[in-house]
Amino acid sequence: MADTLRKRVLTAVVLAAVALAVLLWLPVWVTVAGITALALAGAWEWSAFLMVGARAWRAAYVLLIAVLLWVAWRVCATPGGLEALLATAVLWWLGALLWIVLAPRRVAPWSAAAAGVLALVPSWLALVQLRLALPDGAQWVLFALVLVWVADIGAFFCGRRFGRLRLAPEVSPGKTWEGVLGGIAVSVLVAIAGSLWFHVPLAAFLPLCLAAVGFSIVGDLTESLLKRFAGMKDSGSVFPGHGGVMDRIDSITGAAPVLLLGLTLLGVVA
């Protein structure tokens, strides 16, 4: 256990350093390319949930996601297109919550494929728009990542120390309500810091951040549900101690569209 924790911490430090370098010191196109690469790598791992076996079919799914990223980008250039796509994503995650609660064993390859589209495409669009639509877009993307990472870290350690009540035993037996509360508690501090840094009223910003954290948990549980369906422990083995790409971005797929939609409604994003 200690060795696994050491690997997790070391990998997290390296990933954080890379994210800082890409977001704050490299050209914008590098950030967009990096977000796109993560989305497509996530699509490759997600294709394993479809149980298709053949690499050609898995590659076809990645190509489908790539085409839909382009379509989403074109749609968001139309009046109201971005808000419609983000609202669709929020409705999807609400549906995913019902899926987790009411029918966690009702999974089929087609539903796994649709879930991948609805998870990966809007979250890619949200992160790219956060970076491009605001003068301090790099800081906003970094904030979104930190908000989710801190909530994950708080949930992990509080769950290990105090966890008793299981959150979704049929989907992810290791997650507990105590962990959720711990993650929410530390994310409040991040939200307060973000409110001061970006000069956004806390009365509106705090509920938005808590909603993003809540949806990040749904994103995490949705991937866990599909991994259980596919008989997988991790989506991959890219990151020592953390698993695959999807194991690192599952939470942000739920949080990013909610955060951007909220910022749009608050008038932060024009």
Side-chain angles (χ1 to χ4, degrees):
M1 180 64 72
D3 184 57
T4 300
L5 181 59
R6 191 179 301 110
K7 286 182 179 179
R8 287 179 66 92
V9 171
L10 180 59
T11 302
V13 169
V14 172
L15 290 176
V18 171
L20 281 172
V22 170
L23 287 169
L24 301 181
W25 299 314
L26 295 180
V28 174
W29 71 265
V30 177
T31 299
V32 175
I35 294 170
T36 304
L38 285 174
L40 295 180
W44 173 258
E45 293 183 354
W46 200 289
S47 68
F49 303 154
L50 278 55
M51 310 288 283
V52 292
R55 296 174 70 88
W57 283 109
R58 295 185 64 183
Y61 185 74
V62 176
L63 179 60
L64 172 65
I65 295 295
V67 171
L68 291 176
L69 296 183
W70 178 81
V71 171
W73 181 256
R74 300 288 293 180
V75 169
C76 80
T78 64
L82 176 61
E83 291 81 357
L85 284 173
L86 295 175
T88 299
V90 172
L91 290 175
W92 148 246
W93 287 118
L94 289 172
L97 176 60
L98 293 177
W99 189 12
I100 292 164
V101 173
L102 300 178
R105 298 182 183 275
R106 298 288 296 273
V107 187
W110 70 265
S111 59
V117 170
L118 292 165
L120 291 167
V121 176
S123 58
W124 171 86
L125 183 65
L127 290 172
V128 170
Q129 285 291 327
L130 272 178
R131 180 63 184 91
L132 299 179
L134 293 162
D136 49 357
Q139 296 176 30
W140 274 108
V141 175
L142 184 59
F143 174 81
L145 296 176
V146 169
L147 179 68
V148 170
W149 288 346
V150 166
D152 282 347
I153 292 168
F156 176 77
F157 284 104
C158 288
R160 286 188 61 187
R161 178 64 180 84
F162 305 107
R164 295 292 184 275
L165 300 175
R166 291 183 176 181
L167 176 64
E170 290 192 69
V171 174
S172 184
K175 291 181 175 61
T176 64
W177 281 105
E178 292 84 355
V180 169
L181 294 177
I184 290 174
V186 293
S187 65
V188 168
L189 302 177
V190 177
I192 293 171
S195 172
L196 296 172
W197 182 263
F198 294 113
H199 307 290
V200 182
L202 183 61
F205 193 58
L206 178 58
L208 172 59
C209 290
L210 294 181
V213 169
F215 278 89
S216 78
I217 297 170
V218 179
D220 187 339
L221 290 174
T222 301
E223 196 219 358
S224 295
L225 181 152
L226 293 171
K227 285 191 295 187
R228 182 165 288 258
F229 164 69
M232 301 166 62
K233 181 179 184 296
D234 295 318
S235 65
S237 56
V238 177
F239 305 120
H242 289 264
V245 172
M246 278 310 311
D247 295 318
R248 283 295 82 217
I249 68 171
D250 53 2
S251 297
I252 199 69
T253 60
V258 175
L259 182 63
L260 181 59
L261 180 60
L263 292 175
T264 302
L265 296 176
L266 291 175
V268 177
V269 178

